[in-house]
């Protein structure tokens, strides 16, 4: 029995805009799976169709099925799903700007029935992973830096004690060092807390370094999949997503002439 | 001097009445980012339901008219009616409009205003009714005798009610799990949804609480002026209060109400004669307008956070 699996799902926004055209993917328990691709490829939509945030944006899964631990989850509300252990960290962080960092974290525990002591315990656990949040615990989240907000968003999700986190574009707008820091923490959470991750990323290089497995989306379809290492060494991936080719970096002037075709399109 | 104090106190206390109405706006605005135009209609509906039940209960079930049992039973039933109204609003109006721009929701509440007004009069009739709370609108004797200042008992009672309501709401917002969730939803619907806060539940809670506030406001205003259609216009009185105090602040609604109440009465008495009187009606709006230029988020409103 697979852990999280998407079978041939189709997503339509507003009854007319076809965004995902049959996406299938699997996330094995305890792994980090990367979902790669350009802007508008359908990465965020895939994550939202799993977490069911899609319907709030007038999107709908019209075909296919989504299963988590053998149960269909595509008709559940986001709240039910969070209670089952699947939570999404949205693109662009979305911290509650007027709440303090600590209050932000506490809202993450909304779905859990915990005693005060347990709640403190969960908080401390999050602070252990993100010491930076502890020093800023009483500042309004809206005034913290982008990196701190990303940490706050991940920490907030952790407060729900999830089994699986859908992480959307954690590197967005962050300095390379902070990106590394955040991915290190993701790896750490994966190793120590046994949290599985499905992460959507533009930053293919970093994502493939930390992930176990990767899928590449283009125009709402999975066009390539494989072990992270294999993908990293794939010539096509190198050329199109990592900006490298067998002859090393080349000038954009040359690219025009020797352009490789994306053979999988058409 | 005595006269000044009397006017001031009278103004402050009438300000509390405005604040009561403003509170309902603040609650819904805070939690759903919607300016609920229907709040005035809700005040009217709540007060009308209360008097309606007060009439129906003795007539149908043989309870003794004017007894405490009838009073509290009517109160509970009116509250239940407001809760049902809140839930229905969430189900029929808000849920299909999740993630729509605020202006859409605002328009929806304008529509809701007419529905609620119509519903109220359809159910209970359009007659003006009196409402008796058992507190006389007369000056407190010892203050009058010893200092010559007339302060209405009723006003003081209203102020007490408003103060305890505010204290209760402030505690609810600041320290409870639901309160935190309410503020989270106010900040970011989608993010709240993503961490498993059920928007529907939160909205129902907010509308129910706003219904409760509307009921209290309606009873006090109704006891003062009679339960009539004009109650819906109390909403307009609450507008300058909101602009002054800030749309997102519960204490702001109270402070704003006090300032508006005091300043309109003082202006009427001291500035009024200079311009021929009758400025009480529009003075608060002038004040609000001036305030908008200086501090658009109000005295206690949440400042818009811009990261630069």
């Amino acid at each position: 029995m697979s852990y999280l699996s998407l079978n041939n799902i189709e997503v339509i926004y507003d009854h007319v805009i076809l965004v995902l055209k049959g996406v299938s993917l699997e996330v094995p328990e305890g792994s980090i799976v990367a979902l790669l691709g350009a802007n508008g490829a359908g990465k965020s939509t895939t994550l939202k169709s799993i977490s069911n945030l899609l319907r709030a944006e007038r999107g709908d899964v019209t075909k296919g099925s989504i299963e988590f631990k053998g149960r269909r989850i595509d008709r559940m509300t986001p709240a039910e799903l969070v209670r089952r252990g699947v939570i999404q960290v949205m693109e662009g962080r979305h911290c509650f700007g007027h709440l303090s960092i600590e209050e932000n974290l506490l809202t993450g525990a909304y779905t859990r029935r915990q005693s005060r002591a347990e709640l403190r315990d969960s908080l401390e656990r999050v602070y252990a992973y993100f010491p930076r949040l502890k020093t800023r615990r009483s500042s309004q989240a809206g005034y913290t830096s982008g990196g701190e907000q990303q940490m706050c968003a991940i920490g907030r999700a952790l407060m729900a004690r999830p089994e699986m986190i859908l992480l959307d574009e954690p590197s967005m707008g962050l300095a390379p060092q902070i990106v590394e820091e955040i991915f290190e923490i993701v790896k750490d959470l994966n190793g120590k807390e046994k949290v599985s991750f499905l992460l959507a990323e533009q930053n293919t290089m970093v994502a493939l370094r930390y992930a176990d497995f990767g899928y590449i989306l283009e125009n709402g379809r999975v066009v390539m999949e494989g072990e992270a290492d294999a993908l990293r060494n794939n010539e096509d991936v190198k050329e199109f997503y990592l900006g490298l080719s067998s002859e090393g970096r080349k000038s954009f002037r040359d690219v025009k002439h020797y352009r490789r075709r994306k053979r999988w399109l058409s | 001097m005595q006269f000044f104090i009397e006017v001031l106190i009278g103004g402050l206390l009438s300000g509390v009445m405005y604040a009561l109405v403003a509170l309902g706006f603040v609650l819904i605005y805070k939690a759903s980012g919607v300016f609920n135009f229907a709040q005035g209609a809700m005040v009217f509906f709540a007060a009308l339901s209360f008097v309606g039940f007060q009439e129906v209960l003795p007539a149908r079930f043989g309870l003794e008219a004017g007894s405490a049992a009838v009073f509290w039973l009517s109160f509970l039933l009116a509250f239940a009616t407001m809760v049902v109204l809140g839930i229905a609003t969430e189900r029929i109006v808000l849920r299909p409009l999740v993630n729509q721009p605020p202006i859409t929701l605002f328009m929806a509440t304008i529509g809701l205003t007419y529905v609620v007004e119509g519903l109220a009069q359809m159910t209970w009739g359009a007659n003006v009714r009196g409402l008796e709370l058992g507190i006389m609108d007369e000056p407190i004797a010892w203050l009058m005798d010893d200092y010559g200042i007339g302060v209405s008992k009723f006003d003081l009672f209203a102020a007490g009610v408003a103060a305890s309501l505010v204290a209760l709401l402030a505690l609810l917002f600041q320290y409870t799990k639901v309160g935190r969730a309410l503020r989270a939803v106010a900040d970011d619907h989608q993010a709240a949804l993503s961490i498993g806060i059920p928007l529907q539940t939160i909205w129902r809670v907010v509308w129910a609480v706003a219904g409760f506030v509307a009921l209290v406001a309606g009873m006090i205003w109704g006891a003062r002026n009679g339960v009539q259609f004009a109650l819906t216009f109390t909403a307009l009185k609450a507008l300058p209060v909101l602009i002054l105090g800030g749309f997102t602040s519960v204490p702001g609604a109270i402070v704003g109400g006090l300032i508006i109440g005091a300043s309109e009465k003082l202006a009427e008495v001291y500035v009024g004669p200079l311009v021929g009187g009758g400025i009480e009606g529009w003075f608060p709006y002038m004040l609000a307008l001036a305030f908008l230029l200086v501090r658009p988020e109000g005295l206690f409103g949440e400042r818009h956070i811009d990261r630069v």
Side-chain angles (χ1 to χ4, degrees):
Chain A
M1 185 183 73
S2 58
Y3 192 59
L4 176 78
S5 67
L6 277 65
N7 307 310
N8 206 22
I9 61 163
E10 179 185 271
V11 170
I12 297 182
Y13 279 105
D14 258 337
H15 301 290
V16 280
I17 308 161
L18 178 63
V19 177
L20 294 188
K21 307 158 185 168
V23 168
S24 300
L25 57 84
E26 300 231 338
V27 181
E29 190 164 2
S31 64
I32 302 180
V33 173
L35 203 53
L36 308 165
N39 285 325
K43 304 186 297 293
S44 294
T45 301
T46 309
L47 293 197
K48 282 182 193 151
S49 64
I50 301 168
S51 64
N52 274 324
L53 292 174
L54 210 54
R55 255 173 287 160
E57 295 181 358
R58 313 211 141 195
D60 205 8
V61 180
T62 45
K63 277 183 197 153
S65 65
I66 303 171
E67 285 178 12
F68 180 63
K69 295 202 280 191
R71 286 190 58 146
R72 293 271 307 241
I73 55 172
D74 33 343
R75 288 289 148 209
M76 285 182 185
T77 65
E80 281 170 328
L81 212 59
V82 170
R83 265 182 245 119
R84 288 186 184 277
V86 183
I87 193 164
Q88 174 164 6
V89 176
M90 287 169 56
E91 180 180 5
R93 308 181 279 262
H94 286 272
C95 291
F96 303 123
H98 292 102
L99 273 63
S100 71
I101 291 280
E102 184 149 306
E103 285 176 325
N104 261 281
L105 295 179
L106 289 173
T107 54
Y110 184 86
T111 48
R112 301 191 60 83
R113 299 186 182 281
Q114 288 175 311
S115 68
R116 263 170 198 284
E118 283 171 314
L119 204 59
R120 275 258 54 97
D121 199 52
S122 303
L123 261 183
E124 286 308 321
R125 213 172 55 111
V126 171
Y127 286 142
Y129 282 100
F130 302 100
R132 234 196 288 181
L133 292 184
K134 191 161 190 175
T135 59
R136 309 231 40 192
R137 63 207 289 176
S138 52
S139 351
Q140 271 196 326
Y143 288 118
T144 58
S145 75
E148 285 158 351
Q149 289 191 7
Q150 185 65 61
M151 292 177 187
C152 175
I154 299 176
R156 187 176 64 187
L158 281 178
M159 291 294 287
R161 302 240 174 182
E163 284 184 43
M164 154 141 227
I165 296 181
L166 310 166
L167 193 51
D168 199 351
E169 204 85 27
S171 74
M172 191 169 106
L174 301 182
Q177 294 101 308
I178 306 289
V179 174
E180 289 293 330
E181 197 179 331
I182 286 182
F183 272 91
E184 281 298 332
I185 294 169
V186 165
K187 192 88 192 162
D188 225 27
L189 287 169
N190 178 249
K192 290 190 199 147
E193 308 278 334
K194 304 283 171 255
V195 181
S196 313
F197 282 89
L198 176 59
L199 63 99
E201 255 299 350
Q202 298 265 357
N203 193 335
T204 312
M205 190 85 93
V206 181
L208 285 180
R209 209 142 32 80
Y210 287 93
D212 305 311
F213 201 86
Y215 289 88
I216 296 179
L217 280 174
E218 192 143 334
N219 281 328
R221 285 196 183 88
V222 174
V223 291
M224 206 180 276
E225 58 180 87
E227 299 287 330
D229 290 330
L231 281 182
R232 222 153 24 136
N233 296 319
N234 181 299
E235 289 302 317
D236 288 331
V237 174
K238 272 188 186 173
E239 169 120 17
F240 294 123
Y241 298 100
L242 302 178
L244 301 170
S245 70
S246 44
E247 308 104 73
R249 284 179 188 276
K250 44 182 176 182
S251 150
F252 274 105
R253 202 173 49 197
D254 304 329
V255 172
K256 257 187 194 159
H257 300 293
Y258 306 110
R259 196 178 173 104
R260 275 176 101 101
R261 270 190 58 222
K262 292 184 178 177
R263 272 169 286 116
W264 55 81
L265 297 180
S266 84
Chain B
M1 193 60 201
Q2 275 171 3
F3 181 62
F4 174 78
I5 292 177
E6 190 173 318
V7 172
L8 181 67
I9 293 180
L12 288 175
L13 292 177
S14 71
V16 169
M17 309 256 294
Y18 300 148
L20 266 178
V21 182
L23 261 184
F25 282 100
V26 169
L27 283 172
I28 291 182
Y29 189 80
K30 241 175 116 81
S32 42
V34 181
F35 180 79
N36 177 25
F37 198 78
Q39 188 68 30
M42 280 167 66
V43 170
F44 174 53
F45 186 43
L48 204 55
S49 304
F50 176 74
V51 256
F53 283 121
Q54 258 189 335
E55 283 168 12
V56 167
L57 284 176
R60 288 276 174 81
F61 303 98
L63 291 165
E64 190 191 335
S67 66
V70 169
F71 180 88
W72 288 109
L73 216 57
S74 308
F75 184 77
L76 283 178
L77 285 171
F79 178 45
T81 313
M82 294 315 287
V83 171
V84 171
L85 181 72
I87 292 172
T89 306
E90 187 275 323
R91 185 68 260 262
I92 301 165
V93 183
L94 296 177
R95 200 180 296 181
L97 295 177
V98 176
N99 256 8
Q100 295 295 311
I103 189 70
T104 310
L105 287 160
F106 174 63
M107 295 303 285
T109 65
I110 293 184
L112 185 67
T113 308
Y114 291 102
V115 173
V116 172
E117 284 171 5
L119 197 67
Q121 298 188 42
M122 207 168 74
T123 323
W124 302 108
N127 306 340
V128 179
R129 291 179 171 89
L131 197 163
E132 197 48 65
L133 291 179
I135 292 140
M136 287 296 133
D137 198 358
E138 60 186 18
I140 298 170
W142 61 269
L143 259 179
M144 195 69 201
D145 297 342
D146 296 357
Y147 302 95
I149 300 169
V151 175
S152 159
K153 274 184 195 167
F154 182 84
D155 285 348
L156 211 60
F157 166 76
V161 169
S164 29
L165 208 57
V166 170
L168 204 72
L169 290 175
L171 288 176
L172 173 85
F173 267 106
Q174 207 58 40
Y175 297 109
T176 65
K177 186 172 162 180
V178 175
R180 230 174 4 241
L182 287 173
R183 284 185 293 146
V185 172
D187 256 14
D188 194 329
H189 286 185
Q190 267 203 308
L193 208 56
S194 81
I195 57 170
I197 294 176
L199 285 188
Q200 278 94 14
T201 316
I202 296 296
W203 279 342
R204 273 183 225 136
V205 170
V206 173
W207 281 77
V209 175
F212 180 75
V213 173
L215 176 60
V216 174
M219 283 169 69
I220 289 178
W221 275 91
R224 187 25 89 72
N225 300 340
V227 177
Q228 51 182 322
F229 189 74
L231 272 184
T232 56
F233 302 125
T234 55
L236 296 179
K237 273 288 188 191
L239 268 178
V241 174
L242 289 167
I243 291 170
L244 221 70
F247 279 87
T248 46
S249 166
V250 172
I254 292 300
V255 177
L258 292 177
I259 294 175
I260 292 288
S263 58
E264 75 171 17
K265 293 285 184 297
L266 289 175
E268 175 70 32
V269 170
Y270 291 103
V271 186
L274 303 179
V275 291
I279 68 172
E280 192 181 340
W282 52 260
F283 186 78
Y285 299 96
M286 285 289 296
L287 200 66
L289 205 62
F291 221 81
L292 272 179
L293 297 174
V294 186
R295 210 181 147 87
E297 72 272 22
L299 281 173
F300 297 91
E302 276 164 350
R303 297 204 98 126
H304 185 70
I305 297 182
D306 265 326
R307 293 182 68 235
V308 280

